[in-house]
Amino acid sequence: MPATTPSLGDILRADAEDFADAFGVEDPATEDNVTEEEAPKGFCVECKDQQCQEDFCDVCGSMIHRTGRRRQHVLTKLDVAAPIEADDTAPAAASDSEDTEKEGEALEGAMAVTFSADSGRAETGSGSFGAWISERAKYIPLRLTLKERKYLRLLEAALNVSEYTDKVDILMYGNKTKRMVGQIRELCAILSGLVLASDYKAGQTLFEDRQFEDNEEFFQKIFEIGRRHKIMNPDKMRNEYGKLMYLLQDSQQRDVSELLGFSTLKPIKTVHAVLESLNVAYILEDEMVAVATKEIVAAGKSRAQVQLEIKQKERALEYLCKAYATHECPADVIRQCLYSIGDNHAFLRFNRDPCDRMLAYLKANFNPLKADSNSLSLAILSGRDGARLSHSHSNQFHYVHQTLALWRELLHDMFMLWHSADTDLLAARHAYRLTDTGQGLHRVQPCPRVSAAAHAILHRTQKAVGRWVGSAMIHLGDRNVPNALMFIDKYNQVSSILNPVVRVLEFLDSHAACPEPTDVSRFVEASHGSIDNAKKLILADFFRSAFDGSGADNFFDAGSCIDGRLTSAWNWCSAIEKKPFFNIFLLAGFVGFNGGPEGFN
């Protein structure tokens, strides 16, 4: 490290005011005990949603006894006390939950870091930013270089024309191993030809008088580039990524690997791994990393303040590159790592922050204890308007709150989950079964790492919200979520669902803030009474119908389980055209939940 290290105050201007950055640390989960209310008579004691004649409904019973140890249970007769009615306990439970929510207002994650020009330090409120980013950098993928992006385009082109899954993932008789090896070699041949066509000298050096086995390092590199790029850009390689991962998954089988003659895998490059290999990992402990990697958001700031933050960021970036550059680690590598950390903050803002926005709308527009009116009530009844759950307004409020909080935590740790999924998918010891799940043939495979990480996040969320409504079952390695790839793909859709809704609400806010009435505001007032009323109607419908257990005809595929909550949200999206407020979505530029940036043209 350099002999003299200037403080952050040397970089920040003396007249700069404290300002909130667009990233930060995860606030530790509140250690309050989870308050539980007893299930109403005749309902499952675990999820409290399904009516059953025994203690556990089919879904919860299957989850609890999934290890096959039910035969070891010993029957013991217990004197069961009379159940307490849900209506009597709801106010008390809601009050406890409200207190817990007030105590947990600091859960702002990557928005919690502030910078003080007076002290010249990054202030996280709950610990060191350096310690947080050092741990998180272990899962942050390294941004691609220009040369790597050229290889990425070649890989995408080769995967686009490949028919790997069409020819391998089918029910067939014969030697499937030879078919896998043939398809993998065919893809490698296509890649070789594309490299040769794009750069003749480089291709000649790589492939002249050489076999695939001799270019093992090249194929490992190009496949790793595709995996790394997908983690940082979930909306890219939607068709190609599945082929790539299933191809690599098959290449790990012993008989396939022996016939293939070379390995296709290498670890994904992360920021921490690169810095540690160059013996400069201590750069992450420098407080100036917080300034050099922050995302500058112009919303609500003056032009002068934005320009000030840009200059501060540029100075901090240049200082870190000059101060920590060595013969082994040039400044360009440090700059690339810092840019990668900045990409992490952009990922959080786009994917995780919509959950924060929806949580804020929920708390600002709805009373957790009672509804302001019938039209704004969140109460749902099984069998009405497609709902498959029955919740009072208070229970539904907490059900929505805890679901959004869980989604937020899952997306906050998505890079870590993705690395766990990559390990589970490509682990040779975890063989898959090609099974008809009711939605076609899928590879059903155990996911021990993803399961452990997801359950840890669920437990942390349960402690933070203080009250849990519904089932806590996480489907993994079964017919609903066959493997880790499907799990990651499911929760990458959360931002695609929430971002358009947030954009429409912001569109209404912008017209409400106009000093003079606009054509849009006049239309909304004529059709819905007022802009504020239109916002509340959209939110009420979303919080009711997108969290009502719909989307399937049984409680295994939908309902109140962790994955069923997302299924209900998908079902709401599919019926958006039938909603009375759909014209407001169209006025805001909405084209679909899967079209254009954030679903807007």
Side-chain angles (χ1 to χ4, degrees):
M1 295 183 65
T4 60
T5 303
S7 67
L8 189 58
D10 296 333
I11 288 184
L12 298 176
R13 292 185 176 178
D15 57 349
E17 298 179 353
D18 296 350
F19 56 93
D21 192 13
F23 60 96
V25 299
E26 179 185 9
D27 197 49
T30 307
E31 295 296 332
D32 294 340
N33 294 328
V34 179
T35 59
E36 298 182 359
E37 58 176 333
E38 296 187 24
K41 186 175 182 180
F43 283 76
C44 172
V45 298
E46 175 68 17
C47 64
K48 306 179 182 66
D49 277 329
Q50 302 185 39
Q51 294 188 11
C52 55
Q53 300 302 320
E54 301 187 19
D55 289 342
F56 297 101
C57 63
D58 292 339
V59 178
C60 298
S62 299
M63 179 62 181
I64 293 172
H65 300 104
R66 68 189 184 281
T67 57
R69 296 181 179 178
R70 186 172 185 173
R71 62 181 179 273
Q72 301 176 7
H73 292 189
V74 179
L75 180 63
T76 303
K77 294 184 179 181
L78 301 175
D79 296 329
V80 182
I84 303 175
E85 294 299 327
D87 293 341
D88 295 334
T89 61
S95 177
D96 293 341
S97 178
E98 186 176 9
D99 294 339
T100 306
E101 290 170 7
K102 291 180 180 179
E103 295 173 2
E105 289 293 333
L107 285 173
E108 298 178 3
M111 301 294 290
V113 175
T114 58
F115 305 94
S116 172
D118 297 330
S119 63
R121 299 187 62 84
E123 300 170 355
T124 64
S126 60
S128 167
F129 175 84
W132 176 79
I133 200 62
S134 296
E135 178 64 27
R136 189 172 182 84
K138 295 178 181 178
Y139 307 105
I140 297 177
L142 191 68
R143 178 187 281 195
L144 301 186
T145 62
L146 180 60
K147 185 176 181 180
E148 288 176 334
R149 292 184 186 277
K150 293 180 179 179
Y151 283 137
L152 174 66
R153 288 196 292 270
L154 298 181
L155 176 62
E156 288 180 319
L159 290 170
N160 187 43
V161 300
S162 173
E163 297 179 346
Y164 185 84
T165 51
D166 296 334
K167 294 185 177 180
V168 172
D169 287 351
I170 56 175
L171 297 177
M172 56 172 290
Y173 298 98
N175 194 326
K176 194 172 182 179
T177 300
K178 289 184 178 180
R179 183 180 293 253
M180 292 177 181
V181 174
Q183 290 298 312
I184 294 174
R185 288 184 173 272
E186 179 180 318
L187 179 67
C188 292
I190 295 174
L191 279 172
S192 303
L194 290 174
V195 171
L196 186 64
S198 63
D199 190 338
Y200 181 76
K201 290 185 177 180
Q204 189 179 33
T205 303
L206 279 172
F207 305 113
E208 186 177 16
D209 299 329
R210 302 181 72 180
Q211 301 297 323
F212 291 137
E213 296 83 350
D214 301 324
N215 291 308
E216 177 181 33
E217 185 177 351
F218 167 76
F219 290 118
Q220 288 178 348
K221 176 182 178 181
I222 200 169
F223 291 144
E224 185 273 335
I225 289 173
R227 291 154 60 204
R228 175 158 39 109
H229 176 72
K230 177 64 177 179
I231 295 177
M232 190 63 79
N233 303 272
D235 57 325
K236 305 295 184 182
M237 299 179 64
R238 294 192 175 183
N239 296 323
E240 295 84 2
Y241 183 69
K243 295 180 188 178
L244 173 63
M245 293 307 297
Y246 284 165
L247 179 149
L248 296 177
Q249 185 181 47
D250 289 335
S251 71
Q252 299 310 296
Q253 297 182 22
R254 178 178 298 179
D255 48 354
V256 174
S257 179
E258 291 176 354
L259 288 176
L260 198 58
F262 66 95
S263 173
T264 58
L265 287 187
K266 66 179 297 187
I268 293 176
K269 284 185 179 180
T270 63
V271 172
H272 189 274
V274 170
L275 294 176
E276 190 174 37
S277 66
L278 300 175
N279 300 317
V280 290
Y282 51 79
I283 186 178
L284 298 174
E285 300 176 2
D286 194 311
E287 57 189 9
M288 293 184 190
V289 174
V291 177
T293 61
K294 70 180 179 181
E295 186 180 17
I296 300 174
V297 181
K301 300 177 183 177
S302 64
R303 176 172 296 184
Q305 185 177 3
V306 173
Q307 292 297 327
L308 172 63
E309 293 181 13
I310 291 175
K311 291 181 179 179
Q312 292 169 350
K313 181 175 180 178
E314 291 174 349
R315 288 198 201 96
L317 185 64
E318 291 304 319
Y319 160 73
L320 291 170
C321 290
K322 292 180 180 179
Y324 292 93
T326 64
H327 179 71
E328 295 179 351
C329 181
D332 288 342
V333 174
I334 295 177
R335 183 176 286 105
Q336 184 186 13
C337 291
L338 294 175
Y339 284 155
S340 301
I341 296 175
D343 294 339
N344 162 76
H345 304 326
F347 174 90
L348 291 178
R349 185 173 67 90
F350 182 81
N351 292 274
R352 184 210 59 192
D353 286 4
C355 297
D356 291 329
R357 298 297 305 276
M358 294 303 293
L359 282 169
Y361 281 123
L362 175 67
K363 296 176 182 178
N365 292 278
F366 298 93
N367 188 320
L369 299 179
K370 63 179 181 179
D372 295 335
S373 64
N374 290 333
S375 61
L376 300 180
S377 174
L378 302 182
I380 56 176
L381 182 63
S382 178
R384 179 184 297 176
D385 298 328
R388 303 192 67 248
L389 303 175
S390 295
H391 287 162
S392 64
H393 172 86
S394 177
N395 279 348
Q396 183 68 2
F397 179 94
H398 292 290
Y399 181 76
V400 173
H401 177 269
Q402 70 190 23
T403 302
L404 291 172
L406 177 62
W407 289 354
R408 181 206 180 278
E409 294 303 315
L410 287 169
L411 291 170
H412 184 80
D413 290 331
M414 181 54 69
F415 286 167
M416 181 269 292
L417 289 170
W418 209 315
H419 277 262
S420 299
D422 190 86
T423 303
D424 283 340
L425 276 169
L426 304 181
R429 63 182 180 277
H430 297 149
Y432 69 84
R433 294 176 292 105
L434 194 62
T435 306
D436 184 0
T437 63
Q439 299 179 355
L441 293 174
H442 285 277
R443 301 187 177 198
V444 179
Q445 180 191 36
C447 320
R449 290 179 178 269
V450 176
S451 178
H455 280 90
I457 294 173
L458 173 62
H459 179 64
R460 187 174 71 222
T461 306
Q462 287 177 320
K463 292 198 299 182
V465 299
R467 176 189 178 193
W468 196 255
V469 179
S471 173
M473 177 181 180
I474 299 178
H475 288 283
L476 273 171
D478 57 17
R479 62 186 297 270
N480 292 305
V481 185
N483 51 55
L485 176 62
M486 298 299 173
F487 177 85
I488 293 296
D489 185 64
K490 281 175 72 80
Y491 288 97
N492 274 328
Q493 308 306 317
V494 171
S495 60
S496 298
I497 295 172
L498 298 184
N499 265 320
V501 180
V502 171
R503 287 284 297 273
V504 170
L505 297 173
E506 291 176 344
F507 170 77
L508 291 176
D509 288 334
S510 65
H511 283 277
C514 291
E516 297 292 334
T518 62
D519 292 338
V520 172
S521 62
R522 293 191 186 96
F523 171 78
V524 174
E525 289 172 359
S527 57
H528 295 88
S530 67
I531 290 182
D532 185 64
N533 190 48
K535 283 178 53 182
K536 290 185 177 181
L537 289 176
I538 293 174
L539 288 168
D541 186 84
F542 179 74
F543 292 147
R544 281 196 306 263
S545 302
F547 301 87
D548 61 358
S550 59
D553 58 357
N554 60 80
F555 280 101
F556 282 96
D557 298 335
S560 65
C561 64
I562 302 304
D563 305 281
R565 302 168 191 236
L566 192 53
T567 303
S568 304
W570 282 342
N571 190 58
W572 181 85
C573 295
S574 67
I576 187 65
E577 295 87 355
K578 302 177 183 178
K579 302 296 181 180
F581 47 78
F582 181 59
N583 47 16
I584 299 179
F585 274 66
L586 296 178
L587 286 172
F590 173 79
V591 294
F593 289 98
N594 199 29
E598 303 183 30
F600 283 74
N601 56 19

